[in-house]
Amino acid sequence: MDYGFMIILAAMVPFLIRQWQQYLKFIHMLQLEGYKNIQYIKWINKNTSTVFLFNLFYSAVVVVLGYIVGIFGNIYIIYTFIAAWFAFNLLLVFRYKPEKVKKQLVFTARVKRLLFTVWVLLIAFLALFFMLLTQANYVINVNMVYFIIIASIFNLLAPFIVLAANTVNFPVEWAVKVYYFKSAQDKIKAMSGLKVVGITGSYGKTSTKFILGTILSQKYNVLVTPESYNTPMGITKVIREQLDEGHEIFVTEMGARHIGDIKTLCDLVSPEVGIITSIGPQHLETFKTIENIKNTKYELIECLPGSGFAVFNGNNEYCLKLAENTDIDKTIFGTGNHDFDVKAENIKFGANGQEFDLVYADNRIRCRTDLLGLHNISNILAAVCAAIHFELSPEQIREGIDKIQPIPHRLQLMKGNNGITIIDDAFNSNPVGSKMALDVLKEFEGGNKIIITPGMVELGQEEYEYNRQFGQYIAQACDYAILVGENRSRPMLEGLKLSDYPQDRIFVVSSLDEAAQKLSTIAAPGDVVLFENDLPDNYNE
């Protein structure tokens, strides 16, 4: 092999390792954005400084120095330039520290295919420019300098190479998706004795799913989709890998960000029972209007068979209105002084749980749960409606409610260090849920009440106003407010100031780690700390 070729190949090694580090970061963001190019481009637009600034400086320096080296054309200066480029890239590789992330990149088969395409594109482009510049003459000369300049510019193009690879792979990924979707669909259809429950809603669907699974398990063999699996491919994976002939009921959560998403999930699982837990302003960035959210959630009821069963939240005005639209068998649940089919009365709140009378038909059952908050009573009632439909006895329902475990990151009560109580409500905050979390916090007696939050996201044009109101609610419930992210904190700060909240009790920090450090300086035994919403890595400032 030619001597000059060997030198340039060796000089490329740290550069290529650095590309690998960058590609993993951008593929991670693409994964968090659901592999959707438009969402990924929006993420790039929102993070232009962190995505481009250093690489722009890096490329500019290489271009300027390379141009100067090209003018002189001295072979020793060219060698020095190549050596310096090698050393600088090597330094960057060793100094690279992966960012501390909340959710790691998952090396799925799709990610591996994406990495393969990324490298094919990168190597193909670099090989093309190399051949054009050298014309198969591998002598070290000024053309090698120009090649290094071009290679360095690829630093800037790294996020777009990932974007291009995702686009190139789209037909393959679509075919893979259709194949697995169809096989899962066929599996469900072949299980004639299986009953499927679909649960959707702007909030409460994950909690209701786990609650229903616990209650139904008193009588049936139940499979519940894990964690927040609520997308076509997530549910497809559960059906293919976990559902078997022994299961009698399959409870699946149905998430949506666009019109038609629920219809797609119904085509997959063919539900016989549909539960709408709530409708409210969530994912407005994609839905645009509450009307679109309402219609999308109702797709679940429209997909039920004539013999199906629908459950609606009577305390939610949108759900109550939707209940009037269907002629299939239905039940309305709720709290308060209303004539609901299933309701909770005599509710007693406590810092460690709640008690209430479950009332339906001729039954009145005193129930107890470890779950916090009135909204969890609502989630329990939604699950009870389905349990009644599946003919569980009152005693089985009561025992099931008693066995419900706190759902991780949803008002989960935890013991912290040094006698501090922690309420972990870090998952997926929304205007209604965040206010309810503050209501729960107010129920605690004793020490100071502290909130750590970056506010709420994906609320479209109303996001600023909802976060400003959130700031006002914080002022009513908390003794200290630790706000994460300078930009994200502005509307909450405005809300706190409108409420004349003491300035010396507000702290704005840049990260969750910094928030934890600040907390350690103000928290004392007996204090209660609410972690409200923990934004995913693609939302960090």
Side-chain angles (χ1 to χ4, degrees), residues 59-73 77-78 81 142 145-146 148-149:
S59 301
V61 169
V62 174
V63 168
V64 171
L65 291 178
Y67 178 74
I68 295 171
V69 171
I71 291 174
F72 287 100
I77 297 178
I78 291 174
F81 175 78
V142 74
V145 175
Y146 296 148
I148 286 176
I149 290 175

Side-chain angles (χ1 to χ4, degrees), residues 255-323:
R257 287 174 181 263
H258 302 87
I259 295 171
D261 283 356
I262 298 296
K263 170 72 167 55
T264 301
L265 293 170
C266 289
D267 290 342
L268 174 63
V269 301
S270 303
E272 296 177 27
V273 175
I275 300 174
I276 301 182
T277 58
S278 59
I279 292 173
Q282 196 170 40
H283 301 315
L284 275 174
E285 199 166 283
T286 50
F287 280 119
K288 306 300 181 188
T289 66
I290 285 283
E291 192 67 18
N292 286 338
I293 297 173
K294 192 173 70 173
N295 293 335
T296 303
K297 300 302 181 187
Y298 193 67
E299 290 170 5
L300 171 58
I301 308 303
E302 290 177 318
C303 289
L304 297 178
S307 59
F309 178 68
V311 178
F312 297 92
N313 183 349
N315 292 125
N316 183 283
E317 59 176 313
Y318 301 110
C319 291
L320 199 55
K321 193 69 179 174
L322 288 177

Side-chain angles (χ1 to χ4, degrees), residues 214-273:
T214 304
I215 296 175
L216 289 179
S217 296
Q218 299 304 302
K219 183 174 181 179
Y220 297 102
N221 186 3
V222 184
L223 176 65
V224 175
T225 50
E227 302 173 16
S228 293
Y229 278 47
N230 59 19
T231 63
M233 291 317 292
I235 297 171
T236 292
K237 181 180 171 71
V238 175
I239 293 170
R240 285 172 51 82
E241 297 179 0
Q242 298 183 31
L243 187 66
D244 60 44
E245 293 293 337
H247 290 119
E248 298 170 285
I249 299 177
F250 179 40
V251 180
T252 179
E253 175 185 345
M254 296 180 165
R257 287 174 181 263
H258 302 87
I259 295 171
D261 283 356
I262 298 296
K263 170 72 167 55
T264 301
L265 293 170
C266 289
D267 290 342
L268 174 63
V269 301
S270 303
E272 296 177 27
V273 175

Side-chain angles (χ1 to χ4, degrees), residues 2 44 138 205 218 263 337 343 372 441 491:
D2 192 275
I44 292 174
Y138 302 131
K205 54 186 177 294
Q218 299 304 302
K263 170 72 167 55
N337 188 24
K343 56 186 178 180
L372 301 173
L441 184 63

Side-chain angles (χ1 to χ4, degrees), residues 409-412 423-427 433-434 437 530-533:
H409 311 303
R410 290 168 175 80
L411 284 182
Q412 184 182 12
I423 303 174
D424 181 359
D425 197 36
F427 193 87
S434 59
L530 170 64
F531 284 87
E532 184 63 17
N533 200 13

Side-chain angles (χ1 to χ4, degrees), residues 68 91 102 170 238 301 303 353 448 473:
I68 295 171
L91 178 66
K102 304 175 187 85
F170 179 78
V238 175
I301 308 303
C303 289
N448 287 319
Y473 296 142

Side-chain angles (χ1 to χ4, degrees), residues 33 51 156 161 185 196 198 207 228 231 292 322 424 437 474 517:
E33 296 294 350
V51 171
L156 276 173
I161 290 177
Q185 195 179 40
V196 179
S207 298
S228 293
T231 63
N292 286 338
L322 288 177
D424 181 359
I474 290 173
Q517 291 173 15

